[in-house]
Structure formats: C-alpha cells, structure tokens
Amino acid sequence: MVEDHVLANRQSWDADAHEWVDRGRRDWQSEEITWGVWHVPEAEVGLLPELVGLDVVELGCGTGYVSAWLARRGARPVGLDNSCRQLATARSFQREFDVPFPLIHADAERAPLRDATFDLAVSEYGAAIWCDPYRWIPEAARLLRPGGQLVFLGHSYLAMLTFPEEDLPAGEVLVRPHFGMHRFVWPENGGAVEFAIPHGEMIRLLRSSGFDVEDLVEIQAPDDARTPTDPLATAEWSRRWPIEEVWRARRR
Ligand SMILES: C[S@@+](CC[C@H](N)C(=O)[O-])C[C@H]1O[C@@H](n2cnc3c(N)ncnc32)[C@H](O)[C@@H]1O
C-alpha cells in the first residue's frame, strides 16, 4: 500500500517541479560538488568516499544534479524519485549536459531494486526529509552491500524545532517539542509531509537497521555567507547554529 504522505508529497513535488528547474540547471553546471543551502564544498566537508567505480543510488534525486556530479567522477549512479515532473527535468538535463544514468520513478520507501546492489546510498533533501525514516532507512540498508555507505543531508534537528509555524526563516525560540517529533505537515507547502526524529532515535534506528554510525556533520554557514532572499535561516543564525546536518553510516 502506498502511504498517504508519499501521495501528498508526489502531488506537491509534481506541482512545484517548475520552480526547481533554474536551481537544477545551476547545480548541473557546477563543476564542484557542494552541499545544502550554503553550498559548502565537498572538498571542505569530505562527506563522500572515493567514487570511481561505485554503484550509487540517489534516493529522492529531484533534478538529478548530485547523481550527475557523481557520474562525472566515475561512479555509476541510479536516480530514484517519487515525482515524474522532477524526473522529466532530470531527463532534460541529462540530454543538455550529456550525462546519462538510469532514472526510476518510485517511492524510496519501497524501491524496485534488488538487495545489496549498491556501494553508496545518498540523499540531499530527498528521502532524507520527505520519507519516513522508519521506512526508508531499513530500505537503504537492504539496497546496500555490506560495507556500503549511507550519506544523507537534511534540515537539522534544531531547525525542525525552531522553524516558525507560519513562515521562514528559523527563529531563536523552540516552537515545538523534542519528544514525539516525527511527522511535520507544511500547509503552506501544498500539504507536503516532512519527517525528522531526535538524534538518539536516529542512532538507534540506524543501528537496528544494520548500520554503524560514522559521523554526524553539522553544517555551519561560511564566514562570508550572505542571507539569500527566502532563507531557511539567516546567515547570522546559520553561523551560530546548524541549519542542516549530514549523517554518515556504514552497512555492517
Ligand atoms: C529538494 S528535492 C531533492 C533533490 C535535490 N538534491 C535538491 O535538493 O533539489 C526533493 C525530492 O524528493 C522527492 N521525494 C519526495 N518523496 C519521495 C519518496 N517517497 N521517494 C522518492 N523521492 C521522494 C521529491 O519528489 C523531490 O524531487
């Protein structure tokens, strides 16, 4: 059975896909791998393993730029996404930039892919935030070979507690409780459903799904960061607190 949140998020992402084309093209054009809203270079944070020859699955690939970056560095990515409109954009960029790789229209909580076929599962704001961790993390474990790595970036724990009810950016007040955090519905975002759980729960979930936790990287805005229009958090906020975090775990 397809979960309600998967259908709600499919509708919301199909409706919003046109707003992600320009950002997608900018990232496809980038030679450098960068992460998150502050475009922190991979060279600084070192989240990825050596990529040559790795079988990679990107869970919630959107416009596909992360997979394209990895393909250009010798990996063999497969991009999976729940929105056919986002995948249509990804396909057009594959033609425009001549970087082909398989794209699959599917739910990352129930991927139509064989067990133990990937060395790396990656998600930047894809399954990492739009899928239920209790469903997609065991699914990522199933897809990875022993020794394979899971790397995912999303809003930080603190961001989820401090995003105001109605509007962004993140504030300096704890707006919602730690205990019981799991599912967040954003009415102003077409009823999209986002997920986040406390760090202790995430560690227990990763471990019980067959992962060893290797790192939790809390991203700090660079010194020269300027607050963009429509920020998740201001540059000042993001120099004091992490607006994004990256988990790295290895399949036992
Ligand atoms: C913000 S994009 C992530 C891609 C890219 N890294 C980015 O930051 O633009 C979020 C993507 O997650 C996808 N997504 C949401 N729920 C999903 C699910 N259950 N399975 C796979 N993809 C999903 C959406 O369709 C959307 O394309």
Side-chain angles (χ1 to χ4, degrees), residues 5 9 107-109 126-134 136 193-195:
H5 63 266
N9 288 343
D107 168 16
E109 297 178 8
I129 69 167
W130 300 110
C131 288
D132 186 336
Y134 287 97
W136 84 267
V193 184
E194 181 173 341
F195 293 88

Side-chain angles (χ1 to χ4, degrees), residues 16-26 63 86 89 92-93:
D16 289 350
H18 62 281
E19 292 176 17
W20 294 79
V21 175
D22 290 347
R23 270 180 265 194
R25 177 172 286 104
R26 183 200 59 206
T63 59
Q86 285 279 84
T89 306
S92 77
F93 287 146

Side-chain angles (χ1 to χ4, degrees), residues 107-131:
D107 168 16
E109 297 178 8
R110 304 185 321 158
L113 294 163
R114 286 199 309 274
D115 295 1
T117 37
F118 296 96
D119 306 299
L120 172 66
V122 66
S123 174
E124 189 206 34
Y125 280 118
I129 69 167
W130 300 110
C131 288

Side-chain angles (χ1 to χ4, degrees), residues 68-126:
W69 288 335
L70 305 190
R72 288 179 186 138
R73 285 162 178 78
R76 291 185 292 266
V78 173
L80 179 149
D81 202 280
N82 186 32
S83 158
C84 62
R85 299 243 165 121
Q86 285 279 84
L87 288 174
T89 306
R91 263 183 224 103
S92 77
F93 287 146
Q94 289 189 325
R95 287 190 292 273
E96 185 175 331
F97 294 94
D98 194 22
V99 183
F101 49 86
L103 290 169
I104 299 174
H105 185 212
D107 168 16
E109 297 178 8
R110 304 185 321 158
L113 294 163
R114 286 199 309 274
D115 295 1
T117 37
F118 296 96
D119 306 299
L120 172 66
V122 66
S123 174
E124 189 206 34
Y125 280 118

Side-chain angles (χ1 to χ4, degrees), residues 16-79:
D16 289 350
H18 62 281
E19 292 176 17
W20 294 79
V21 175
D22 290 347
R23 270 180 265 194
R25 177 172 286 104
R26 183 200 59 206
D27 288 324
W28 270 80
Q29 279 166 342
S30 169
E31 292 296 321
E32 193 179 34
I33 298 180
T34 64
W35 297 107
V37 292
W38 298 112
H39 304 286
V40 177
E42 166 62 13
E44 273 175 32
V45 279
L47 301 175
L48 296 171
E50 172 56 47
L51 292 163
V52 175
L54 291 196
D55 292 310
V56 182
V57 62
E58 185 180 1
L59 298 168
C61 65
T63 59
Y65 58 84
V66 172
S67 287
W69 288 335
L70 305 190
R72 288 179 186 138
R73 285 162 178 78
R76 291 185 292 266
V78 173

